[in-house]
Amino acid sequence: MYQSMKYYYDVSDGICTRDSIANYLNTDNASICQFLYFLDIDDIASYVESSYYTDKDWHFRYKVSSMIKLIVVKCYRNLSFEKTISTLTKEEAQLLSFEDNNGIMNLPSPATLHHFVKYRLGKTGLDEVMFKIGKNISKNTKIRDAKTDPTPLEASRYDKYADYNPHYNCKMDKAHITMIGTLPIYMTHTKGASHDSPELKKHIDALVEMGVDIDTYALDGGYDSFRNHADIWYKLNAKPVIAYSSDSKVQYEGMMERIDHWVNKMWKLGGSIHMKYEEKLHFLYENGREKQVGMHLRNKNIKDDGFDEDYSHRGECERVHNHIKLTVKFDIRGMKNGSKKLYSVMNFVAYQLLVATNLQNGVKETNSFANYV
């Protein structure tokens, strides 16, 4: 997705014959289609074609990459499917590559775009696209701190399917978002009153599958559990930086002498007091003592003078979440209950692709695209 991208592009038919995204960074009211012209998603499009299309030629009437970019336009402009198509200019359609070999503009109907989102891809397809974008982002950044945090997806107060959350004082669902630095790589959608901690397993497993290389993983107290501490350390080889309550105490079973005691007690399984420190923790984790490993890691955080500095990275979450909400429709107001997860993921994928465009083209302010319309 990233390696094949070039900084300059040739554009025909009077738009520009030699162009660069740098020409638009300080230009107000540039079309979002112009911005997306510099986005390469050929690998994503190829995957969608092979996974969600049959071998019938008529299914390829429109380029899949163009349809995905059109979804981004819809989400960024916060338009209906019908308005997204009807307000698209000829030049914008050309920038999205809806021009055929004969120079004729071949735009999909609103119904076709809706079918592509809801039935061709569906939530499963969008989840897979989200994962692939997130994996590409994680592989092409040197940032080594990750964080997961929930944000409310606000609902109408008359929505009978949405939960009332007393902390946020509104009816809502939740989006649990994982980022590396300020780069969004993964999201899950839950009910508004659901607990945060059980959701973390999905995010850890996703990061493992992506093969991320991180040093710290910061989370607020809603994700605090001994198992989460242990899973982050064991599965991601990262330091769990999870907020603990002010009355948290050092756990006796997490002390080093108790670690040594249990390693020695399980000598029949291969435990030895002479193991190296990390080998002892690995041994206990792999032999049913995950909770004890988590206690030990939480004890270390309580005693660590540098914990607050590591935890400060999580402060970026609210800022980026607010930016997502200013950029795309990231709430569930007016949505049918059965479509909430689909459209929340769709908007998240749109935001990911905007970030990916800046990353591919070496733009330092990766979350900046407010000058586009």
Side-chain angles (χ1 to χ4, degrees):
M1 181 174 175
Y2 293 90
Q3 286 75 6
S4 63
M5 201 64 178
K6 295 184 294 184
Y7 195 73
Y8 289 97
Y9 292 82
D10 292 323
V11 188
S12 61
D13 197 20
I15 297 177
C16 190
T17 56
R18 188 74 168 161
D19 207 3
S20 162
I21 198 171
N23 293 331
Y24 303 94
L25 296 181
N26 299 312
T27 302
D28 291 333
N29 299 325
S31 171
I32 191 65
C33 300
Q34 180 69 73
F35 178 72
L36 293 171
Y37 182 75
F38 299 99
L39 172 63
D40 175 20
I41 49 172
D42 287 346
D43 60 336
I44 302 293
S46 296
Y47 174 78
V48 171
E49 287 176 5
S50 62
S51 302
Y52 293 93
Y53 282 74
T54 67
D55 57 356
K56 295 180 180 178
D57 292 338
W58 60 268
H59 277 151
F60 296 92
R61 183 176 179 184
Y62 307 103
K63 290 177 63 175
V64 173
S65 59
S66 299
M67 295 292 283
I68 294 174
K69 289 182 180 182
L70 194 54
I71 293 172
V72 181
V73 175
K74 177 202 178 322
C75 296
Y76 185 80
R77 291 178 171 172
N78 192 16
L79 298 173
S80 65
F81 289 101
E82 183 176 357
K83 285 286 187 180
T84 300
I85 302 299
S86 65
T87 58
L88 208 66
T89 67
K90 178 183 177 181
E91 290 76 15
E92 288 176 332
Q94 185 177 5
L95 288 165
L96 297 178
S97 300
F98 280 109
E99 186 179 28
D100 64 21
N101 294 332
N102 299 318
I104 299 173
M105 289 302 159
N106 186 26
L107 280 173
S109 68
T112 300
L113 182 59
H114 176 262
H115 185 275
F116 178 76
V117 171
K118 190 165 185 179
Y119 301 105
R120 179 63 67 192
L121 287 176
K123 182 172 183 300
T124 300
L126 285 169
D127 279 341
E128 292 180 4
V129 169
M130 171 184 65
F131 179 88
K132 288 188 170 294
I133 299 169
K135 184 176 181 179
N136 285 334
I137 290 174
S138 67
K139 292 295 184 184
N140 289 274
T141 181
K142 295 180 180 180
I143 301 171
R144 297 182 62 85
D145 64 275
K147 68 273 295 181
T148 297
D149 202 47
T151 191
L153 300 171
E154 292 189 41
S156 165
R157 59 180 173 175
Y158 304 109
D159 189 335
K160 65 180 181 180
Y161 298 104
D163 292 339
Y164 177 79
N165 188 305
H167 177 73
Y168 293 100
N169 195 30
C170 67
K171 281 193 168 186
M172 55 176 273
D173 281 5
K174 277 185 188 177
H176 300 258
I177 298 174
T178 292
M179 301 189 300
I180 292 182
T182 62
L183 308 177
I185 62 173
Y186 190 71
M187 187 202 93
T188 56
H189 182 129
T190 66
K191 297 291 288 182
S194 63
H195 294 292
D196 296 340
S197 184
E199 196 67 13
L200 186 62
K201 183 181 185 304
K202 297 176 185 177
H203 291 252
I204 294 174
D205 290 345
L207 293 178
V208 171
E209 192 174 348
M210 289 179 187
V212 300
D213 187 11
I214 55 175
D215 294 328
T216 61
Y217 195 167
L219 303 118
D220 70 17
Y223 298 96
D224 184 22
S225 76
F226 297 132
R227 183 60 189 255
N228 286 343
H229 280 81
D231 285 349
I232 290 169
W233 179 84
Y234 181 83
K235 295 182 179 181
L236 295 171
N237 193 29
K239 177 184 177 181
V241 184
I242 306 177
Y244 50 85
S245 61
S246 58
D247 59 350
S248 294
K249 298 178 181 179
V250 172
Q251 298 291 316
Y252 174 66
E253 279 298 314
M255 293 180 178
M256 199 63 217
E257 52 265 35
R258 297 303 294 170
I259 297 291
D260 289 338
H261 167 80
W262 278 98
V263 168
N264 190 51
K265 187 173 182 178
M266 300 169 74
W267 65 270
K268 289 185 178 179
L269 297 175
S272 170
I273 196 72
H274 302 294
M275 284 177 166
K276 294 180 180 179
Y277 167 70
E278 290 197 353
E279 289 177 343
K280 292 176 182 178
L281 298 186
H282 274 93
F283 174 79
L284 292 176
Y285 184 97
E286 292 167 356
N287 288 279
R289 303 290 299 179
E290 300 95 331
K291 185 176 179 180
Q292 184 180 19
V293 173
M295 288 179 180
H296 175 73
L297 295 169
R298 170 113 85 78
N299 285 353
K300 288 184 66 177
N301 283 344
I302 293 173
K303 298 175 182 178
D304 185 5
D305 292 335
F307 177 84
D308 289 341
E309 182 179 352
D310 288 335
Y311 185 71
S312 66
H313 293 303
R314 201 199 66 83
E316 296 171 323
C317 291
E318 289 187 11
R319 179 172 62 85
V320 176
H321 293 175
N322 288 334
H323 191 259
I324 293 174
K325 292 173 182 179
L326 290 172
T327 306
V328 297
K329 176 179 166 57
F330 214 52
D331 59 52
I332 55 172
R333 293 188 186 94
M335 291 185 187
K336 293 181 179 179
N337 190 53
S339 299
K340 291 174 181 176
K341 290 186 178 182
L342 172 73
Y343 288 118
S344 65
V345 174
M346 178 186 73
N347 279 279
F348 183 75
V349 166
Y351 187 86
Q352 278 186 306
L353 289 172
L354 293 171
V355 170
T357 305
N358 278 335
L359 278 174
Q360 287 181 358
N361 291 278
V363 179
K364 292 183 179 179
E365 299 294 331
T366 51
N367 294 67
S368 177
F369 15 79
N371 58 312
Y372 298 96
V373 295

